[in-house]
Amino acid sequence: MIRINTCAASIALALSGTALAAPTAPSIDMYGSNNLQFSKIELAMETTSGYNQMVKYHDQAKVDVKFNQWSGTSGNTYNIYFDGVKVATGPITGSQTTASFEYGQGGLFEMEIEACDETGCSKSAPAQITIADTDGSHLAPLAMNVDPNNKSYNTDPNTVVGTYFVEWGIYGRDYTVDNLPADNLTHILYGFIPICGPNESVKSVGGNSYNALMTACQGVNDYEVVIHDPWAAFQKSFPQAGHEYSSPIKGNYAMMMALKQRNPDLKIIPSIGGWTLSDPFFDFTTKANRDTFVASVKKFLNTWKFYDGVDIDWEFPGGGGAAPDLGDPVNDGPAYIALMAELRVMLDELEAENGRTYELTSAIGVGHDKIEDVNYGDAIQYMDYIFAMTYDFYGGWNNVLGHQTALNCGNFMRPGQCDGTGLDENGEQYTGPAYTTDNGIQLLLEQGVPANKLVVGTAMYGRGWEGVLPSSLTDPSDPMTGVGNGKLKGSSAQGVWEDGVIDYKGIKANMLGANNQGINGFEYGYDEMAEAPYVWNRTSGQLITFDDDRSVKAKGAYVRSLGLAGLFSWEIDADNGDILNAMHEGLAGGTTDPVNRKPTAAAGADQS
């Protein structure tokens, strides 16, 4: 009887023309919930405070999506799909429902919302939703704006071709990540990441640098790393990269993330330290301080996933850096080696946890007095590469002239100066071999550093002096035999951003000229023995030592002749493409004519 009545009721409902309807299709609210942009990293965009208050990373993004069903039947349950895969479900609460859930995968997804009840389901129109993550998985590949003077090369991918990109380059030089000739690079070193703790040396930079670091370190333990300039790193909007007010991540970091989407094999490595930020390293003779640092770097790499390892730029173990009172020649070397071992253990843990590789590198001074304080032969087993800073050999910090980034010893040197066996102008024994690229590399090879882990540095800038007048020269044909009279002066329009230093592109435009023959009173010279160029104005006395196309090609040929890893440069915003082009052409081989040099002999004292 019951079965007959139920059947009859169903027939009557059908005959009446009334059918059970599925729920109304949801309409996604496109204007709430931060325009459907969510993020696994929570960044303070409007304020400046301590790093830990400004940067908070979450394993899951918190997502709140509103949808409306203003008419019809709302249904009982919603399902949310990202690219056709169900990611959340929950109860419908009425004509407007907020779906709250967590999601751990970054990306740009097509989202659909489905409303269901016992009669069936109805889906919304698709909408685009962003789940931002620091690997850049939510970003489109970066659109580039590279100086067309950069040529294209097919350099062996196992060769290192690296450069420094500096955080502050976006200001005066207006050099942004999209200007990087990334197709011609294997490594970008991002300078610099500071360490909280004693940082008196950074006061020498002037401006707001010291105060900014003190702000970043509020609430942060000594010996932990932070971001020095959050505005440059993740707050500033770059319209060319599509940044909007509501973009979850902006600044250099977002552009680097998008660059990784375009060039996934490119290694981007944070360089920790640098000339004015190395003071805390000198406390790393204490293991507890190293432990704090290493744990902090691990957290930093898990927070900023676009980075591919860590570069240590301690200037310098043993002393001789920006702070003249810091340095322990006995204990700094073992501390450096221990730091490398501990970082390698940490990076191996990260590799196992995250399923990717991380490189450990270090930029080091190559003067004999710097190398003797560290046994790099012991340290290198933990490292991928050493970036040998084969530049800054001479400069305006004193009035002693010489080639600042020469491959070999120069014509201007005194007898026995090159190998350190002779006497200086005061009749005193040289303390060691002269500062040159080859002398430094040979010392590292003698320590047992494998050739294929050594990267030679090129200079995309010059160092210079005022007042080098012809009357001061002991050899009229070589201005390096004269005497300097203070640091080179100039304007930022000429490429002089600090006294004594000038961008290569400023040298090219204002001193070299299109055919490299010299303009504006400057004459071009080249020391064939040293493989080092210079420009000199004998009237004004301005003398500049730098790297150019010829000297960089010589360095490339040198790298190939010894089986070294490659070349890198400081710093990319000072180049117009000439130097990076020459790096590739030198490494390609066959582009540098060998120089037939006269032989030298040092047989020792006369014997009877």
Side-chain angles (χ1 to χ4, degrees):
M1 179 67 71
I2 294 173
R3 188 176 302 160
I4 293 170
N5 284 347
T6 303
C7 183
S10 299
I11 293 169
L13 189 64
L15 290 173
S16 71
T18 303
L20 294 174
T24 299
S27 172
I28 299 173
D29 189 333
M30 302 291 290
Y31 302 101
S33 306
N34 198 28
N35 291 325
L36 299 183
Q37 294 191 82
F38 305 92
S39 181
K40 295 177 66 178
I41 191 164
E42 187 181 344
L43 300 172
M45 290 294 189
E46 306 266 337
T47 61
T48 302
S49 60
Y51 175 78
N52 292 336
Q53 283 68 54
M54 297 189 72
V55 179
K56 297 178 181 177
Y57 187 83
H58 307 286
D59 291 333
Q60 304 279 323
K62 294 181 179 178
V63 181
D64 295 304
V65 177
K66 289 182 181 177
F67 61 90
N68 306 317
Q69 295 166 287
W70 296 125
S71 61
T73 304
S74 59
N76 303 323
T77 305
Y78 67 79
N79 297 311
I80 296 183
Y81 296 87
F82 285 1
D83 292 346
V85 177
K86 186 193 290 188
V87 296
T89 187
I92 292 174
T93 57
S95 57
Q96 186 175 70
T97 300
T98 299
S100 298
F101 59 100
E102 294 186 342
Y103 193 69
Q105 178 62 48
L108 194 61
F109 304 100
E110 185 178 84
M111 179 177 68
E112 297 170 296
I113 301 180
E114 182 179 62
C116 299
D117 63 14
E118 63 276 6
T119 67
C121 299
S122 300
K123 269 188 180 179
S124 69
Q128 196 173 73
I129 186 170
T130 298
I131 308 294
D133 200 356
T134 57
D135 58 1
S137 52
H138 64 292
L139 295 172
L142 185 64
M144 306 304 289
N145 180 27
V146 179
D147 189 319
N149 191 43
N150 288 276
K151 302 174 185 177
S152 296
Y153 297 94
N154 293 314
T155 302
D156 182 342
N158 294 317
T159 297
V160 175
V161 183
T163 195
Y164 276 88
F165 176 92
V166 295
E167 193 161 75
W168 60 90
I170 64 171
Y171 297 123
R173 288 180 173 88
D174 194 26
Y175 192 95
T176 49
V177 173
D178 57 314
N179 300 143
L180 279 162
D183 293 351
N184 286 343
L185 296 167
T186 63
H187 289 71
I188 294 172
L189 298 165
Y190 187 97
F192 285 102
I193 305 301
I195 310 165
C196 292
N199 271 293
E200 289 297 302
S201 292
V202 79
K203 290 180 178 178
S204 67
V205 177
N208 193 46
S209 189
Y210 179 78
N211 291 337
L213 181 54
M214 293 303 100
T215 299
C217 290
Q218 289 175 4
V220 178
N221 295 322
D222 285 356
Y223 312 112
E224 292 185 351
V225 294
V226 294
I227 286 174
H228 200 165
D229 183 354
W231 172 254
F234 60 77
Q235 291 179 325
K236 177 176 168 58
S237 291
F238 289 104
Q240 68 267 40
H243 296 173
E244 299 173 348
Y245 177 80
S246 60
S247 296
I249 313 170
K250 296 181 278 193
N252 290 339
Y253 277 24
M255 292 185 80
M256 287 283 184
M257 294 172 200
L259 182 59
K260 286 280 286 189
Q261 298 304 305
R262 183 183 184 275
N263 297 68
D265 294 331
L266 179 67
K267 300 295 184 186
I268 303 176
I269 300 179
S271 185
I272 301 175
W275 177 251
T276 60
L277 291 170
S278 283
D279 290 9
F281 281 125
F282 294 98
D283 291 340
F284 281 16
T285 51
T286 301
K287 186 177 188 304
N289 297 340
R290 296 198 306 271
D291 290 346
T292 298
F293 172 78
V294 171
S296 169
V297 173
K298 183 176 184 179
K299 180 181 178 183
F300 191 82
L301 294 177
N302 271 327
T303 298
W304 301 107
K305 297 180 182 177
F306 71 94
Y307 279 132
D308 294 290
V310 60
D311 177 70
I312 298 299
D313 194 352
W314 177 352
E315 299 188 22
F316 300 98
D325 57 331
L326 294 179
D328 181 341
V330 175
N331 295 311
D332 283 355
Y336 176 94
I337 296 168
L339 175 64
M340 291 299 146
E342 292 152 4
L343 284 169
R344 186 68 262 169
V345 169
M346 179 273 289
L347 293 174
D348 288 346
E349 292 171 358
L350 275 183
E351 290 185 351
E353 293 166 10
N354 298 336
R356 53 178 291 201
T357 59
Y358 292 89
E359 291 189 354
L360 176 57
T361 65
S362 184
I364 72 165
V366 297
H368 65 87
D369 53 326
K370 306 297 190 298
I371 292 173
E372 69 187 9
D373 288 335
V374 182
N375 188 332
Y376 290 102
D378 284 348
I380 195 64
Q381 61 187 304
Y382 309 112
M383 303 163 66
D384 291 273
Y385 298 108
I386 283 175
F387 292 104
M389 294 190 286
T390 50
Y391 38 73
D392 295 343
F393 297 150
Y394 292 83
W397 55 83
N398 61 30
N399 289 318
V400 179
L401 307 182
H403 301 298
Q404 70 113 342
T405 183
L407 179 58
N408 304 305
C409 293
N411 282 310
F412 67 93
M413 290 187 177
R414 297 170 61 87
Q417 183 176 352
C418 185
D419 62 5
T421 60
L423 303 178
D424 65 17
E425 61 275 14
N426 298 317
E428 297 178 1
Q429 176 78 42
Y430 287 109
T431 58
Y435 276 32
T436 71
T437 297
D438 181 56
N439 279 346
I441 294 298
Q442 294 300 334
L443 287 173
L444 290 166
L445 292 172
E446 288 171 14
Q447 282 191 342
V449 178
N452 64 1
K453 288 191 174 186
L454 283 172
V455 190
V456 168
T458 64
M460 290 176 165
Y461 65 98
R463 288 193 174 274
W465 300 265
E466 295 283 337
V468 182
L469 299 174
S471 59
S472 72
L473 274 56
T474 58
D475 178 350
S477 67
D478 188 351
M480 294 299 165
T481 64
V483 178
N485 188 25
K487 295 179 179 179
L488 175 77
K489 305 289 186 184
S491 67
S492 59
Q494 296 171 307
V496 179
W497 298 89
E498 62 175 291
D499 287 353
V501 184
I502 180 171
D503 291 351
Y504 167 78
K505 54 191 175 187
I507 299 171
K508 177 68 175 177
N510 299 296
M511 290 93 175
L512 274 176
N515 60 4
N516 282 18
Q517 294 302 304
I519 56 174
N520 297 326
F522 284 88
E523 54 195 82
Y524 172 80
Y526 195 86
D527 185 330
E528 294 187 352
M529 180 183 293
E531 296 286 6
Y534 58 86
V535 287
W536 180 42
N537 187 318
R538 62 178 64 231
T539 301
S540 72
Q542 289 184 316
L543 173 66
I544 299 166
T545 162
F546 61 106
D547 254 336
D548 70 353
D549 175 87
R550 181 176 176 182
S551 66
V552 170
K553 287 177 179 177
K555 285 181 177 177
Y558 174 83
V559 163
R560 288 300 190 220
S561 71
L562 292 180
L564 307 181
L567 294 170
F568 78 103
S569 59
W570 174 276
E571 60 186 76
I572 192 64
D573 54 26
D575 188 27
N576 66 350
D578 286 357
I579 303 300
L580 186 56
N581 290 343
M583 289 164 67
H584 281 275
E585 289 164 15
L587 291 167
T591 58
T592 304
D593 295 328
V595 176
N596 187 20
R597 299 188 182 89
K598 59 185 179 183
T600 59
D606 292 343
Q607 301 290 320
S608 298

